[in-house]
């Protein structure tokens, strides 16, 4: 996020009141907030040729993404709706998916410019390998103001940590789930 121009399109869209209102209405929330996190609010996700994004959950409950470059083939988004819930990881179901069981897996093939609004905190998801690069802009919003990612997670996802993350480390998550 700190590499995007302050007055550019990505940060402009992220902070635009009408766009925030649209996302909030789609999620049937009354109010959502941009992150205080200086890295995670807007992320350019660049998947090189032949790469994949493995199964994971998102730190934030919702993720809003825009496909800015569609791979030539492949690169489908796969997800397992509500595989876990607050207080229960449902690790047996997770193991089944990791072992290749497909009954809980849904597949979505996104087109260039598609806006995807996805609840990734409880629905495990991945992007399968494709041919050619796949680019997305990812916009993070939170139900509460002041969201900042944890140090360890931030290091894993962004490869670096800023002072704001270290300062916020003492604030534990309230839903009892692992990142
Ligand atoms: Fe994700």
């Amino acid at each position: 996020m700190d590499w995007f121009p302050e007055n550019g399109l990505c940060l402009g869209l992220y902070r635009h009141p009408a766009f925030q209102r649209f996302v909030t209405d789609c999620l049937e929330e009354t109010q959502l907030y941009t992150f205080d996190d200086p890295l995670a609010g807007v992320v350019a996700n660049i998947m090189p040729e032949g790469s994949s994004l493995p199964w994971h959950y998102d730190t934030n409950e919702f993720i809003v993404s825009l496909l800015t470059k569609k791979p030539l083939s492949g690169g489908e988004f796969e997800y397992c709706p509500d595989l876990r819930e607050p207080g229960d990881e449902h690790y047996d179901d997770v193991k089944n998916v990791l072992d290749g069981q497909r009954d809980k897996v849904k597949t979505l093939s996104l087109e260039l410019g598609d806006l995807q609004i996805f609840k990734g905190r409880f629905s495990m998801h991945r992007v399968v390998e494709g041919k050619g690069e796949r680019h997305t802009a990812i916009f993070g919003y939170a139900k509460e103001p002041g969201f900042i990612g944890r140090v360890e997670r931030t290091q894993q996802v962004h490869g670096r940590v800023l002072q704001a993350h270290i300062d916020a480390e003492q604030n534990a998550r309230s839903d009892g789930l692992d990142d």
Side-chain angles (χ1 to χ4, degrees):
M1 186 178 186
D2 62 343
W3 291 352
F4 285 105
E6 266 303 310
N7 298 313
L9 284 171
C10 274
L11 292 185
L13 189 60
Y14 179 56
R15 293 168 177 154
H16 197 290
F19 185 71
Q20 283 189 46
R21 188 70 252 162
F22 174 73
V23 170
T24 303
D25 288 348
C26 286
L27 288 163
E28 298 180 319
E29 298 289 337
T30 51
Q31 180 75 58
L32 293 176
Y33 301 88
T34 54
F35 289 179
D36 281 4
D37 192 305
L39 296 180
V42 182
V43 174
N45 183 263
I46 310 296
M47 291 183 62
E49 166 90 38
S51 66
S52 60
L53 187 65
W55 288 114
H56 68 282
Y57 294 103
D58 293 336
T59 309
N60 195 44
E61 192 170 333
F62 324 119
I63 282 289
V64 180
S65 64
L66 189 70
L67 192 74
T68 52
K69 186 177 180 64
K70 188 187 176 184
L72 299 171
S73 65
E76 290 89 357
F77 181 83
E78 293 190 338
Y79 63 107
C80 307
D82 296 319
L83 200 65
R84 71 176 182 179
E85 59 191 320
D88 192 341
E89 295 277 4
H90 291 275
Y91 279 138
D92 287 349
D93 290 332
V94 172
K95 184 176 186 306
N96 287 338
V97 174
L98 297 181
D99 287 345
Q101 205 166 303
R102 300 289 297 175
D103 59 313
K104 288 184 164 34
V105 179
K106 294 184 181 300
T107 299
L108 190 60
S109 189
L110 292 165
E111 296 299 325
L112 182 66
D114 277 356
L115 180 72
Q116 182 184 24
I117 301 178
F118 182 70
K119 295 188 172 183
R121 183 88 180 124
F122 309 111
S123 298
M124 195 167 74
H125 54 286
R126 71 172 177 176
V127 178
V128 301
E129 186 177 329
K131 193 162 177 52
E133 289 191 351
R134 183 185 195 274
H135 299 185
T136 45
I138 301 174
F139 307 99
Y141 295 100
K143 285 183 179 180
E144 306 291 334
F147 173 83
I148 297 181
R150 284 175 166 174
V151 167
E152 186 182 355
R153 178 73 168 192
T154 299
Q155 184 66 44
Q156 287 170 350
V157 173
H158 302 281
R160 61 199 170 104
V161 166
L162 302 184
Q163 189 60 42
H165 300 103
I166 296 165
D167 293 345
E169 184 65 51
Q170 62 213 42
N171 299 328
R173 300 203 182 292
S174 59
D175 61 10
L177 296 173
D178 299 333
D179 276 351

